[in-house]
Amino acid sequence: MPQLELIGAEPSNYVWACRIALAEKGVPYKLSPAMPHTPEVDAVHPFGKIPVMRHGDLELCESRAICWYIDNTFDGPTLVPADRARAAQVEQWISIVNTHIDPVWLRQYVRAYVFPRTADGSPERDTIDAALPKMEEQFAVMDRAVAKTGHLVGDTFTLADMNFIPILYYMGTCPESGALLARMPALARYRELHLARKSVQATTPTWMPGQKRAAA
Ligand SMILES: N[C@@H](CCC(=O)N[C@@H](CS)C(=O)NCC(=O)O)C(=O)O
């Protein structure tokens, strides 16, 4: 079988989620560094987003589609439970995280620190302040979601957790989100537990957004 190539930048939460999935399955792959809207990404994603993937003749974009392919093509533990109700719950949490959590926690809040649109490069205070009330509500929702079992679905580490943990990682890197985490014991425990997991440790970004990548 040809080697799978994942194309994207390490710090991207969606690239990271795919890399956790690959590590969980034990699939060897090549990570080709590329930023969004570069020719190699634009060639596969119609809107230039990362990650994109190549495997033999197949080109794919969108992290959920890439993870479906990985899960259904390679041996190794399944990323989504076989049980239909549990599988649907995995899709439910991926959808909630990608449509409600990611846009506020990363695209709005962390972006305002890391890629501020201010003249002097200081954090975008208005954007941060606008995100915080929404984040407070959403943190409480996610805290309740993981309180019972330490997982989003059932009591195993599923693709729903793989998709969420990279976002949650970044919440420990900014002041207000760090303070929010400190008030959400179940979410903080969940974060610590899964960041220590082998597949997550092995794929933790070696550089951070806003920093230039060290020359290879
Ligand atoms: N729905 C896409 C989202 C991918 C995405 O938003 N990637 C970000 C990096 S984390 C990106 O490429 N952003 C550039 C842009 O939106 O222009 C997926 O699940 O793969």
Side-chain angles (χ1 to χ4, degrees):
M1 208 187 269
Q3 188 178 46
L4 186 146
E5 181 185 12
L6 189 70
I7 301 164
E10 281 185 37
S12 154
N13 57 301
Y14 290 112
V15 171
W16 192 358
C18 290
R19 296 184 68 211
I20 296 172
L22 286 159
E24 288 286 331
K25 295 290 279 190
V27 178
Y29 67 99
K30 174 181 170 205
L31 178 67
S32 298
M35 297 302 282
H37 311 294
T38 51
E40 55 272 50
V41 175
D42 288 344
V44 181
H45 196 299
F47 302 113
K49 301 204 181 212
I50 54 173
V52 300
M53 185 212 88
R54 204 168 272 121
H55 190 219
D57 290 342
L58 177 68
E59 292 181 333
L60 267 184
C61 62
E62 290 291 311
S63 60
R64 183 64 191 91
I66 293 170
C67 287
W68 189 94
Y69 181 75
I70 292 165
D71 200 16
N72 289 279
T73 303
F74 298 97
D75 293 336
T78 56
L79 307 178
V80 175
D83 177 81
R84 235 181 305 171
R86 291 267 188 257
Q89 287 168 332
V90 167
E91 299 307 326
Q92 166 197 288
W93 281 112
I94 291 174
S95 185
I96 287 174
V97 166
N98 292 357
T99 59
H100 295 270
I101 304 295
D102 170 87
V104 180
W105 298 15
L106 290 187
R107 310 298 136 198
Q108 186 176 347
Y109 173 74
V110 172
R111 204 251 339 124
Y113 274 106
V114 177
F115 301 114
R117 294 167 188 150
T118 50
D120 62 356
S122 59
E124 268 176 63
R125 207 58 249 174
D126 291 356
T127 309
I128 293 165
D129 290 342
L132 288 172
K134 291 181 270 182
M135 287 174 67
E136 177 123 20
E137 276 178 35
Q138 293 170 333
F139 267 65
V141 168
M142 298 312 288
D143 187 64
R144 283 195 296 276
V146 299
K148 200 163 159 201
T149 68
H151 300 84
L152 280 170
V153 179
D155 57 3
T156 57
F157 187 68
T158 68
L159 191 59
D161 303 303
M162 298 172 211
N163 184 61
F164 181 44
I165 201 70
I167 298 177
L168 200 52
Y169 167 82
Y170 284 109
M171 295 303 101
T173 67
C174 296
E176 299 86 353
S177 52
L180 263 177
L181 260 181
R183 289 170 33 212
M184 307 282 161
L187 196 57
R189 253 195 328 273
Y190 170 91
R191 180 177 180 275
E192 202 178 325
L193 175 74
H194 298 307
L195 284 181
R197 196 177 169 89
K198 204 167 147 210
S199 63
V200 179
Q201 285 278 306
T203 53
T204 298
T206 56
W207 60 284
M208 285 292 122
Q211 295 173 350
K212 289 245 180 306
R213 202 168 67 88

Short mmCIF file of all heavy atoms in Angstrom, two decimals, residues 12-14 36-37 49-51 62-63 107, ligand 1:
data_model
loop_
_atom_site.label_atom_id
_atom_site.label_comp_id
_atom_site.label_asym_id
_atom_site.label_seq_id
_atom_site.Cartn_x
_atom_site.Cartn_y
_atom_site.Cartn_z
N SER A 12 -2.22 23.45 13.55
CA SER A 12 -3.65 23.42 13.23
C SER A 12 -4.35 22.34 14.04
O SER A 12 -3.94 21.18 14.04
CB SER A 12 -3.84 23.12 11.73
OG SER A 12 -5.11 22.53 11.51
N ASN A 13 -5.43 22.72 14.73
CA ASN A 13 -6.14 21.72 15.54
C ASN A 13 -6.69 20.60 14.67
O ASN A 13 -6.77 19.45 15.10
CB ASN A 13 -7.25 22.37 16.37
CG ASN A 13 -8.26 23.13 15.55
OD1 ASN A 13 -7.89 24.06 14.84
ND2 ASN A 13 -9.52 22.78 15.64
N TYR A 14 -7.07 20.92 13.43
CA TYR A 14 -7.63 19.88 12.57
C TYR A 14 -6.55 18.95 12.02
O TYR A 14 -6.79 17.75 11.85
CB TYR A 14 -8.44 20.52 11.44
CG TYR A 14 -9.72 21.17 11.93
CD1 TYR A 14 -9.88 22.55 11.91
CD2 TYR A 14 -10.76 20.40 12.44
CE1 TYR A 14 -11.04 23.15 12.37
CE2 TYR A 14 -11.92 20.99 12.92
CZ TYR A 14 -12.06 22.36 12.88
OH TYR A 14 -13.22 22.95 13.35
N PRO A 36 -2.32 27.06 5.09
CA PRO A 36 -3.54 27.22 4.28
C PRO A 36 -3.28 28.13 3.07
O PRO A 36 -2.39 28.98 3.12
CB PRO A 36 -4.52 27.90 5.24
CG PRO A 36 -3.99 27.63 6.62
CD PRO A 36 -2.50 27.50 6.48
N HIS A 37 -4.05 27.92 2.03
CA HIS A 37 -4.03 28.79 0.84
C HIS A 37 -2.68 28.78 0.12
O HIS A 37 -2.29 29.77 -0.49
CB HIS A 37 -4.43 30.23 1.21
CG HIS A 37 -5.69 30.28 2.02
ND1 HIS A 37 -6.92 29.91 1.51
CD2 HIS A 37 -5.91 30.62 3.32
CE1 HIS A 37 -7.84 30.03 2.47
NE2 HIS A 37 -7.24 30.44 3.57
N LYS A 49 -8.14 25.12 2.86
CA LYS A 49 -7.97 24.85 4.30
C LYS A 49 -7.16 23.58 4.53
O LYS A 49 -7.15 22.66 3.69
CB LYS A 49 -9.34 24.70 4.96
CG LYS A 49 -10.16 25.98 4.78
CD LYS A 49 -11.20 26.15 5.82
CE LYS A 49 -11.95 27.44 5.53
NZ LYS A 49 -12.41 28.10 6.71
N ILE A 50 -6.50 23.57 5.69
CA ILE A 50 -5.73 22.39 6.08
C ILE A 50 -6.49 21.65 7.19
O ILE A 50 -7.20 22.31 7.96
CB ILE A 50 -4.30 22.77 6.54
CG1 ILE A 50 -4.33 23.84 7.65
CG2 ILE A 50 -3.48 23.22 5.37
CD1 ILE A 50 -2.98 24.14 8.27
N PRO A 51 -6.32 20.30 7.23
CA PRO A 51 -5.43 19.45 6.46
C PRO A 51 -6.04 19.02 5.12
O PRO A 51 -7.24 19.05 4.94
CB PRO A 51 -5.30 18.22 7.36
CG PRO A 51 -6.65 18.10 8.00
CD PRO A 51 -7.08 19.53 8.23
N GLU A 62 -10.86 18.03 4.36
CA GLU A 62 -11.80 18.03 5.49
C GLU A 62 -11.43 16.92 6.48
O GLU A 62 -11.44 15.73 6.16
CB GLU A 62 -13.26 17.89 5.04
CG GLU A 62 -13.79 19.13 4.32
CD GLU A 62 -13.95 20.33 5.26
OE1 GLU A 62 -14.54 20.17 6.34
OE2 GLU A 62 -13.49 21.43 4.90
N SER A 63 -11.14 17.36 7.71
CA SER A 63 -10.62 16.43 8.71
C SER A 63 -11.57 15.26 8.98
O SER A 63 -11.11 14.13 9.16
CB SER A 63 -10.32 17.16 10.02
OG SER A 63 -11.48 17.77 10.53
N ARG A 107 -11.08 30.43 16.45
CA ARG A 107 -11.11 31.42 15.34
C ARG A 107 -11.31 32.83 15.88
O ARG A 107 -10.87 33.79 15.27
CB ARG A 107 -12.21 31.13 14.33
CG ARG A 107 -12.31 29.73 13.76
CD ARG A 107 -11.12 29.27 12.98
NE ARG A 107 -10.82 27.90 13.40
CZ ARG A 107 -9.68 27.27 13.19
NH1 ARG A 107 -8.68 27.86 12.58
NH2 ARG A 107 -9.49 26.04 13.63
N1 LIG B 1 -13.78 21.97 8.23
C1 LIG B 1 -12.36 21.94 8.05
C2 LIG B 1 -11.74 23.10 8.80
C3 LIG B 1 -10.26 23.22 8.51
C4 LIG B 1 -9.73 24.57 8.98
O1 LIG B 1 -10.48 25.51 9.28
N2 LIG B 1 -8.41 24.66 9.02
C5 LIG B 1 -7.80 25.92 9.38
C6 LIG B 1 -6.53 25.69 10.16
S1 LIG B 1 -6.89 25.00 11.75
C7 LIG B 1 -7.49 26.66 8.11
O2 LIG B 1 -7.07 26.08 7.14
N3 LIG B 1 -7.71 27.98 8.13
C8 LIG B 1 -7.46 28.86 7.05
C9 LIG B 1 -8.69 29.60 6.62
O3 LIG B 1 -9.76 29.39 7.17
O4 LIG B 1 -8.58 30.42 5.72
C10 LIG B 1 -11.78 20.59 8.53
O5 LIG B 1 -12.42 19.96 9.38
O6 LIG B 1 -10.74 20.17 8.03
#
